[in-house]
Amino acid sequence: MHQKSKRWGAAVALIAAGGLLAGCASSGSSGDVTYWSAFVSKDTERYYQEHYVDAFNEQSDDTKVKMEVKQLQNLGSLTDTAVSAGRGADVVYSAGPSSALGFASAKRIDALDDYAAEYGWADKLQPWAYQASQVDGTLYSVPVEYGSIVMYYNPGVFEEHGWTVPTTLAEFEKVATEAQAAGMMPVGAGNSGYQAQSEWYLSAFLNMAVGPEKLYQALTGEAKFTDPEFVDAISLFQQQIDKKWWGGGKDRWFTNTDTDLFTGLADGTVAMYITGTWSFGDAGRYFGEAAGNDAEWDWAPLPSLSDDVAPGVYPMAIGTSLSVNSASKQADAAAEYIDFVIDDPARSYDYLAATGQNPPPLSDIASMPDTVDERSARLYTEAPESGNLGYASWTFFPAATDTYLWSEFDKIITGDLTPQAYLEGLQKVFDGELAAGKVITPFEPVPGA
Amino acid sequence: MTSATARIGAGPAVRRPRRRRRLVAWLFIAPLAIVNLLVIGGPGLSSLLFSFTDWDGLGQANFVGIDNYVELFQSPNVLAAIWHNLLWTLFFLIVPISMALLGAFLLSRLRRGQVLFRTLYFIPYVLATIVSATVWRQILSPDAGIGAALANLGFDGLAGVNFLGDPSLALGSVAFVNNWQWWGFLLVLFLAAMQGVNPALYEAARLDGANAWREFWHITLPGIRPTLMFLVLMTVIWSFLVFDYVYILTQGGPAGSSDVLATVLYRTAFSEQRAGYASAMAMLLSSISAVVVAGYLILRKKLDWDV
């Protein structure tokens, strides 16, 4: 009997010890935190490793981050496959809140509200980005890179032709008409090599011509993409493409690459180029000494192409969001690392200065150092301050709607689809995704901003 | 009676080695069969099941019956892609096979330099697809490609021709590039098969006064029929699976003009995140291959081909 109770005691102790160990493991108080990432260049990777991984590991006693570098092209699909199988890194990458929503719906990533409260993320992040990262009021991802779409131009070329940066439809049409008369491509556009590139221009056009308020209504189901404002906008875009203002029209759209268009901007054959601010980092290689010319680039906020839209709209885009894998045994440590990535504005802005990489949408924009390129610093201070924020399709449109947007737009360019039919198809796909809960709640626009 | 007794008496002794041989054969087959079952059978079965769901690749898969298949056959993009696959198949059944047959027949009559030409024609096949596709993209560029180069020399017939950016030319241009890589491989296979044809048949034909065409038609073609039929079969299957050149050169554009089933499937699965619907497309692709193979087997049986 005595012997038997001893055995029972040992068994209970073992179970208790096991439980304690399991508790330690799930609390993630120690051990390696894995993180998959990808970079545009080796230099950027080295900088990140030194300032975001090694620096974290040096200051942390318990937690060590182990970064695995993947290819930029397949980081998303690798993560999707691994996370859907209940595996993958502890810190989960996603290409913005729409991608994170898929993980959240599948319960593959953890709710972050407790961590958000612990680390004060609502205060650290700009309100629109924090709001966009929530699913039904619960935070599931933390945005760590953001940008916008702006109009790039060559100040020397504008000066030569006596143009001022357009802010209204009339001014935009004047510059486009004169540029075309001068033998230039008025607005750079094209999708050779990357079919989805069309959505950069489409996102810009919808924000310029329809405006954030109407887009917000459509994204929340209050309005339809088939409403006259959208039909008019796509019709106007189609007319401008037919006039060969954008990308030289259908004969050139499918041939132009991003490189061609920046080269054209530098050599004066392209007047304006409307694209993402992710090019701030490498636009320099087409201009000035590095490119063997004396050209310069600058940017301006997007013009308004409708009386109902205030000029200077910034379509907001979140390029990278981080979440905590629900299969992680190091959840607390993973959250600690995510906080490290956004915790220090100086570190984020130094990264921007050194590599041109988009910073997190931090609410602290005052501590932007002088080392940041003036054009980048202007963007990351003016955009949040302006309040005139719009919606980039790849961040706020659900996956199938977004794919329809750019893939079917080819048929608008070739004239195989009418704007009405195109938008009816868009609305149909969107309705399905809205009903299936695949649309993130967009931030509310500032009326008349 | 004696022989019958002997046969009866020898039965178990004969059966034992036969059984052993069968066992050994199964043992040889088993590793590959197990790997195929795991790598092809498992995912194949799960694809079949997912094709009846609305699975997005991450979350819960809800049963939707045959909705995906109904949508598949009502989708203009899918139907256009199937049509492009059929055109692609027709092109690859005619152009590279004809070129390779003719090339191999001519090379087979060469006494010197055969190895050199065989190597030259085979080189494109060993190049990485991404390399040859990227080079061809430059060659076909209206700004920096062959059209612009010829225009500089005064021949402006191809000037401004946008091979990959013109919806009416894109599919044909991609097929042309793929054929550039492909036909040399077929040539080498046909040449190897032709070298297996009995030379005495050619000598006899020549004695009977047959010309080169008659030799080709009556001796070469029947002599390489197993190889020819196998490559025709594989061409049909590969033509429906084509993806790499299309994706690298045009991604199915412009406006879907070079979309094939595999590019639509890829976009559906990874951009639209509709893994269930993409699974239905995969089932369609597999079914087409299965029909082709079944048709081939039936023909083989009916015509009593020894291939």
Side-chain angles (χ1 to χ4, degrees), chain A residues 93-156:
Chain A
Y93 157 90
S94 57
S98 276
S99 303
L101 173 63
F103 292 139
S105 303
K107 299 189 172 24
R108 296 296 184 190
I109 52 177
D110 286 343
L112 301 175
D113 283 345
D114 290 345
Y115 297 121
E118 183 183 344
Y119 294 115
W121 288 341
D123 296 329
K124 288 177 182 173
L125 295 165
Q126 291 172 25
W128 69 268
Y130 190 85
Q131 193 183 335
S133 302
Q134 291 177 313
V135 178
D136 296 330
T138 299
L139 188 77
Y140 275 95
S141 64
V142 175
V144 297
E145 275 187 16
Y146 88 111
S148 186
I149 309 170
V150 295
M151 193 193 85
Y152 291 75
Y153 68 101
N154 182 333

Side-chain angles (χ1 to χ4, degrees), chain A residues 77 80 83-84 99 102-103 105-106 108 191-196 250-252 254-255 260 399-400 403-404 406-408 410-411 414 416 433 438, chain B residues 54-60 76-77 137 141-143 162 164-167 248-256 259 266-267 270-274:
Chain A
S77 56
D80 286 355
V83 173
S84 66
S99 303
F103 292 139
S105 303
R108 296 296 184 190
N191 72 347
S192 176
Y194 182 53
Q195 211 183 351
K250 68 177 178 183
D251 298 337
R252 298 289 315 180
F254 306 111
T255 307
D260 297 336
T403 305
Y404 178 95
W406 55 258
S407 61
E408 293 298 302
D410 273 10
K411 294 173 187 166
T414 57
D416 293 330
E433 292 197 289
K438 293 182 176 178
Chain B
D54 64 354
W55 192 45
D56 63 3
L58 285 171
Q60 197 182 334
N77 290 346
R137 194 150 62 174
S141 160
D143 301 322
N162 201 343
L164 299 172
D166 183 336
I248 296 168
L249 288 171
T250 62
Q251 292 170 71
D259 251 335
Y266 182 85
R267 199 163 52 237
F270 297 107
S271 282
E272 294 182 21
Q273 294 176 2
R274 298 185 65 200

Side-chain angles (χ1 to χ4, degrees), chain A residues 4 32 50 85 101 209 257 284 376:
Chain A
K4 200 175 179 182
D32 283 348
E50 185 184 342
L101 173 63
T257 64
S376 292

Side-chain angles (χ1 to χ4, degrees), chain A residues 47-66:
Chain A
Y47 189 97
Y48 191 91
Q49 177 71 41
E50 185 184 342
H51 294 87
Y52 282 89
V53 178
D54 298 345
F56 176 83
N57 291 342
E58 274 169 28
Q59 58 102 55
S60 173
D61 294 331
D62 302 335
T63 309
K64 300 292 172 202
V65 168
K66 196 176 165 190

